[in-house]
């Protein structure tokens, strides 16, 4: 396993991180035993970065990670937590809260559920429209001083918000969707992060399975949010799967899988970028880890660019209501 420095002031983390969200009921039913076995296999392979959110199935995901880390030393994992999403008992979403007092409250519960005395990277999952980012970052900075948090990160925010956050406390990484078919970060945000010495943890590198080479029409089952996601519907899906077929030809010529090409492409965009893969099963994890052995030549990169040109995806990243919550997509950065 190779390691990458996360931002100028951040920790060294594995070149690939494990995004744990899918292990807790967002893509349909998941299997606890297999999820834990997958986390164990990742740690054994040298993966150190585990990414979660306190609102992933209302705390279930953190409890799952705690279970998987039993018997390990605390230093075996670098735990990254997003906070602030508000849920109701039916699993519905009811807004976002990043007030300083809420921030400290969420942190207290996360520490307890994870069974740890500090969190490596703590970040608001979205920009709270009612709270200046300086106040949220200031509250986390208090928690850094108190030893409960090691580093501060951001998620899905635009350049102006990033600059305002950095003025309060060093930021180690921005977590944002980045993949062959979601390249909005290239329009200014990536440049801002590089200027400020902020790393990128890229989620959605397989676009939630869409460009994994495993997705087929009518596959979204009950409880799978992709059934409502714009890119997975109707003609959008047909057009997007046609892009995957074009990638498939490149992958076959190299003797690798589509998923491996997609992950390798993100990894190749810079030493400051760490892709997060949402493997929920050991076989998918093994496939993802195989991407680290794929070297893309300049010819490969050009062929991939022709197969999936920037902006080629059909449909938005999220449904309209959720797009409204993305500071990273606001105004000129859209």
């Amino acid at each position: 396993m190779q390691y990458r420095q996360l931002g100028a002031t951040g920790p060294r983390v594995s070149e690939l991180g494990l995004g744990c969200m899918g292990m807790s009921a967002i893509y349909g039913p998941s299997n606890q035993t297999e999820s834990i076995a997958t986390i164990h296999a990742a740690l054994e392979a040298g993966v150190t970065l585990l990414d979660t959110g306190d609102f992933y199935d209302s705390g279930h995901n953190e409890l799952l990670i705690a279970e998987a880390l039993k018997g390990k030393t605390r230093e075996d994992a670098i735990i990254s937590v997003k906070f602030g999403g508000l849920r109701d008992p039916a699993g519905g979403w009811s807004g976002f809260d990043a007030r300083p007092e809420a921030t400290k409250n969420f942190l207290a519960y996360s520490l307890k559920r994870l069974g740890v005395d500090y969190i490596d990277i703590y970040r608001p999952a979205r920009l709270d429209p009612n709270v200046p980012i300086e106040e949220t970052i200031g509250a986390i900075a208090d928690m850094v001083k108190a030893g409960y948090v090691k580093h501060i990160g951001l998620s899905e925010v635009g350049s102006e918000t990033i600059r305002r956050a950095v003025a309060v406390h060093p930021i180690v990484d921005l977590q944002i969707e980045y993949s062959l078919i979601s390249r909005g970060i290239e329009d200014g945000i990536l440049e801002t992060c590089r200027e400020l010495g902020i790393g990128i943890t890229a989620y959605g590198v397989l676009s939630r399975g869409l460009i994994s080479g495993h997705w087929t029409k009518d596959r979204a089952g009950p409880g799978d949010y992709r059934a409502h996601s714009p890119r997975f519907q109707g003609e959008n899906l047909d057009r997007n799967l046609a892009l995957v077929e074009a990638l498939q030809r490149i992958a076959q010529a190299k003797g690798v899988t589509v998923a491996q090409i997609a992950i390798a492409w993100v990894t190749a965009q810079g030493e400051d970028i760490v892709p997060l893969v949402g493997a929920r099963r050991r076989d998918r994890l093994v496939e993802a880890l195989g991407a680290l052995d794929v070297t893309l030549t300049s010819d490969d990169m050009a062929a991939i660019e022709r197969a999936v040109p920037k902006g080629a995806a059909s449909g938005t990243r999220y449904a309209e209501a959720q797009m409204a919550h993305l500071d990273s997509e606001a105004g000129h950065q859209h």
Side-chain angles (χ1 to χ4, degrees), residues 225-301:
Y225 109 108
R226 290 172 292 199
H228 312 287
S229 173
R231 290 184 174 172
F232 287 86
Q233 291 176 7
E235 285 180 15
N236 284 352
L237 181 60
D238 294 334
R239 286 200 286 269
N240 291 333
L241 288 178
L243 299 174
V244 178
E245 272 175 46
L247 272 183
Q248 184 82 52
R249 291 191 279 277
I250 298 169
Q252 273 166 342
K254 277 189 84 74
V256 299
T257 70
V258 170
Q260 288 169 337
I261 288 274
I263 296 165
W265 182 88
V266 174
T267 312
Q269 299 309 308
E271 285 291 315
D272 52 349
I273 298 174
V274 174
L276 298 171
V277 296
R280 306 186 272 176
R281 304 194 328 231
R282 284 166 289 183
D283 58 340
R284 294 280 199 258
L285 174 70
V286 168
E287 180 184 26
L289 289 168
L292 300 177
D293 300 324
V294 177
T295 307
L296 297 175
T297 64
S298 52
D299 285 354
D300 291 334
M301 293 298 268

Side-chain angles (χ1 to χ4, degrees), residues 2 7 19 23 35 60 93 163 188 231 262 292 296 300 305 312 330:
Q2 301 290 309
M23 296 177 178
S35 294
H60 174 276
W93 294 95
R163 291 184 191 283
R231 290 184 174 172
L292 300 177
L296 297 175
D300 291 334
E305 193 68 38

Side-chain angles (χ1 to χ4, degrees), residues 30-93:
S30 54
N31 176 322
Q32 179 118 347
T33 311
E34 184 59 30
S35 294
I36 289 172
T38 303
I39 294 173
H40 287 169
L43 293 168
E44 277 153 33
V47 171
T48 56
L49 182 62
L50 300 180
D51 186 79
T52 186
D54 62 8
F55 45 82
Y56 290 166
D57 201 13
S58 306
H60 174 276
N61 205 240
E62 291 179 320
L63 292 167
L64 177 78
I65 290 171
E67 187 65 35
L69 293 178
K70 277 192 180 140
K72 311 274 179 205
T73 59
R74 176 64 186 87
E75 291 65 40
D76 289 345
I78 290 171
I79 304 172
S80 158
V81 178
K82 287 181 291 302
F83 71 88
L86 302 175
R87 310 297 300 261
D88 62 31
W93 294 95

Side-chain angles (χ1 to χ4, degrees), residues 299-329:
D299 285 354
D300 291 334
M301 293 298 268
I304 292 167
E305 193 68 38
R306 284 193 300 273
V308 186
K310 186 171 177 175
S314 298
T316 51
R317 300 205 271 141
Y318 289 91
E320 208 170 321
Q322 288 146 312
M323 288 297 282
H325 296 297
L326 296 180
D327 182 58
S328 53
E329 293 277 350

